[in-house]
Amino acid sequence: MYYPRRRTEPMVYETPGFVSFFRTATPIKEIADLHVGSRPGSRKTSDRIEDLRAIPWVFSWSLARIMLPGWFGFGTAVDAFLAHRGTPGMELLREMYRDWSFFRTLLSNMDMVLFKSDIHIASRYAELVSDSHLREDVFGRIGREMQRAIEHLLVITGQKELLESNPSLARSFRNRVPYIDPLNHLQVEALRRYRSGSIDDRIKHAILLTINGIAAGLRNSG
């Protein structure tokens, strides 16, 4: 899928409706309602992002297969760097990847979370957002920034595809995908029914089971 290049605007705090998108397109509300985890999802009774604890913030994006905290902004940052430095800028980034272990580890982690992300499955979660304009705006930005991040990551690392440098991890995750993906689709439907007012305990149980199953399959869900 091709996403035209454009400058990414600040999103989390500056986009009207972002909190609504986040709380609808991820299972964050259910993580809190069903008491998943040892502590409350937020530090205080509030819907504000800044009051949310770090683990549920990462966990909810992971369950929706977006993994946003692990890569968002990287593509735009590289665009800005290259606009300032030009071609020598990319050579510098490649040199940093080759010679600086911190930068190499940073990009290695990003490589892994982008490989585990799935924009198509994420679009199923985005469909839970009833406001079509909000959905298209926020999810469109996410998709474009993901494409930018992948393109720059591959150029800097010299890979032809994600996780090319770690074939054993890529193979391990591909073997788990046939089990994880159906759980994501089941979770979307369970969330839809739960939010429509279903009081069937089986729906709650299904959400809990899919949360556990997806987390176990991803192995780095917060």
Side-chain angles (χ1 to χ4, degrees), residues 9-221:
E9 301 171 2
M11 186 167 68
V12 174
Y13 296 111
E14 293 81 3
T15 302
F18 175 81
V19 173
S20 177
F21 177 91
F22 165 64
R23 292 192 174 276
T24 307
T26 76
I28 182 63
K29 184 176 184 297
E30 287 69 28
I31 290 172
D33 289 350
L34 302 179
H35 306 294
V36 177
S38 59
R39 294 188 294 176
S42 294
R43 295 179 179 85
K44 59 180 71 173
T45 304
S46 166
D47 285 339
R48 300 192 313 165
I49 297 296
E50 53 265 44
D51 292 328
L52 193 65
R53 295 184 188 278
I55 289 177
W57 165 254
V58 175
F59 190 31
S60 54
W61 286 115
S62 299
L63 291 172
R65 300 293 290 279
I66 299 176
M67 309 278 190
L68 183 137
W71 56 264
F72 191 85
F74 173 75
T76 294
V78 174
D79 273 350
F81 183 74
L82 296 180
H84 179 66
R85 293 291 190 98
T87 302
M90 180 55 73
E91 293 305 314
L92 176 58
L93 291 173
R94 298 189 73 169
E95 180 182 341
M96 289 167 59
Y97 176 74
R98 185 180 65 249
D99 299 335
W100 188 16
S101 58
F102 172 81
F103 192 63
R104 188 166 57 252
T105 300
L106 177 69
L107 266 59
S108 176
N109 287 336
M110 194 180 306
D111 192 10
M112 180 264 295
V113 296
L114 282 167
F115 188 83
K116 293 181 178 182
S117 302
D118 190 311
I119 198 67
H120 303 294
I121 288 180
S123 70
R124 292 290 318 283
Y125 286 84
E127 289 170 2
L128 295 170
V129 179
S130 58
D131 185 331
S132 60
H133 295 293
L134 177 63
R135 179 176 65 245
E136 292 169 9
D137 177 35
V138 176
F139 192 69
R141 285 198 239 175
I142 289 172
R144 288 187 291 271
E145 184 65 11
M146 181 182 287
Q147 186 65 30
R148 271 191 287 269
I150 292 172
E151 289 175 0
H152 286 314
L153 179 69
L154 294 181
V155 173
I156 294 169
T157 62
Q159 299 181 134
K160 294 181 180 178
E161 60 182 12
L162 294 173
L163 277 191
E164 181 182 310
S165 62
N166 194 339
S168 60
L169 179 57
R171 182 171 56 253
S172 173
F173 186 69
R174 286 193 183 102
N175 289 338
R176 282 175 270 139
V177 162
Y179 305 96
I180 302 171
D181 288 0
L183 291 176
N184 280 118
H185 292 292
L186 288 170
Q187 185 174 88
V188 170
E189 181 58 30
L191 291 172
R192 196 186 308 277
R193 296 188 186 188
Y194 181 70
R195 293 172 182 179
S196 69
S198 173
I199 57 173
D200 191 334
D201 286 340
R202 292 176 297 179
I203 299 299
K204 291 184 180 180
H205 189 56
I207 295 173
L208 283 172
L209 287 177
T210 55
I211 287 174
N212 290 333
I214 296 166
L218 293 176
R219 295 185 179 177
N220 64 327
S221 301

